């Protein structure tokens, strides 16, 4: 089953070599695709590619590591990676679905989504907060340019 990211998608987490767990507002799915493949397929579904979306984001934010990706701009669907997108352990999070972040310890953080769901992920609070701020900035710049 191919999965396309939509307005209800909260997070995409690897659970095996070629398998992902997708968190949505009301349900969770196990999909036989890597998270990166879901990202690329979703970008293509909305008329671009991961590479094209990445280049667009880099032109707005400047070169950097772990660039957030604007999947679909009319609905402001922006995802950001927790680590290198090519890494098999990379988790993707929907920036506009995050209510808040909580510090757990130096290596782990809790993400609380606006529907009350929570996940604990292996990334420092500071790094996670920085990634969320960059994704929010990308969404804000694109929204302002549309005006």
């Amino acid at each position: 089953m191919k999965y396309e990211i939509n307005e209800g998608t909260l997070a995409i987490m690897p659970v095996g070599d070629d398998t992902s767990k997708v968190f949505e507002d009301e349900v969770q799915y196990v999909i036989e695709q890597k998270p990166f493949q879901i990202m690329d397929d979703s970008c293509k579904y909305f008329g671009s590619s991961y590479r094209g979306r990445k280049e667009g984001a880099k032109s707005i934010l400047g070169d950097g590591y772990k660039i957030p990706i604007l999947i679909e701009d009319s609905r402001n669907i922006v995802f950001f990676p927790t680590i290198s997108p090519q890494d098999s352990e990379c988790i993707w999070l929907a920036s506009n679905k995050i209510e808040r972040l909580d510090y757990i310890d130096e290596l782990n953080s809790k993400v609380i989504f606006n529907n009350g769901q929570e996940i604990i992920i292996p990334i420092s609070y500071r790094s996670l907060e920085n990634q969320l701020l960059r994704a929010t900035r990308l969404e804000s710049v694109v929204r302002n340019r549309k005006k």
Side-chain angles (χ1 to χ4, degrees):
M1 171 179 152
K2 257 187 160 178
Y3 179 83
E4 270 87 28
I5 292 169
N6 60 69
E7 291 173 286
T9 309
L10 306 173
I12 303 166
M13 181 181 294
V15 291
D17 290 339
D18 295 314
T19 309
S20 301
K21 186 173 190 177
V22 176
F23 295 81
E24 285 193 356
D25 285 328
E26 303 295 327
V27 293
Q28 297 174 12
Y29 301 99
V30 175
I31 306 292
E32 291 191 29
Q33 284 181 283
K34 293 180 181 185
F36 184 81
Q37 189 63 53
I38 292 172
M39 292 296 298
D40 191 40
D41 287 349
S42 295
C43 289
K44 288 175 183 170
Y45 181 79
F46 289 111
S48 187
S49 66
Y50 173 84
R51 186 176 179 159
R53 297 288 186 182
K54 179 180 177 183
E55 290 302 314
K58 282 172 111 177
S59 73
I60 292 170
L61 299 173
D63 277 341
Y65 182 63
K66 301 184 287 185
I67 297 289
I69 301 297
L70 178 63
I71 303 288
E72 206 283 324
D73 61 334
S74 69
R75 291 180 274 173
N76 297 320
I77 300 174
V78 178
F79 274 71
F80 65 91
T82 56
I83 56 178
S84 171
Q86 307 301 331
D87 192 300
S88 63
E89 299 299 310
C90 181
I91 298 167
W92 288 87
L93 301 168
S95 60
N96 66 335
K97 295 289 194 166
I98 296 174
E99 179 75 27
R100 73 173 200 272
L101 308 172
D102 282 351
Y103 175 89
I104 292 182
D105 58 40
E106 289 181 19
L107 301 175
N108 298 286
S109 302
K110 183 189 293 184
V111 178
I112 298 96
F113 295 100
N114 55 18
N115 70 347
Q117 280 192 64
E118 301 177 355
I119 59 172
I120 295 172
I121 57 175
I123 182 175
S124 73
Y125 178 85
R126 184 178 178 150
S127 180
L128 184 60
E129 185 178 47
N130 184 49
Q131 285 301 103
L132 179 57
L133 289 172
R134 292 178 72 209
T136 302
R137 182 167 174 256
L138 174 63
E139 186 272 330
S140 176
V141 168
V142 170
R143 184 174 8 95
N144 286 332
R145 287 182 179 179
K146 285 190 226 176
K147 292 181 180 179

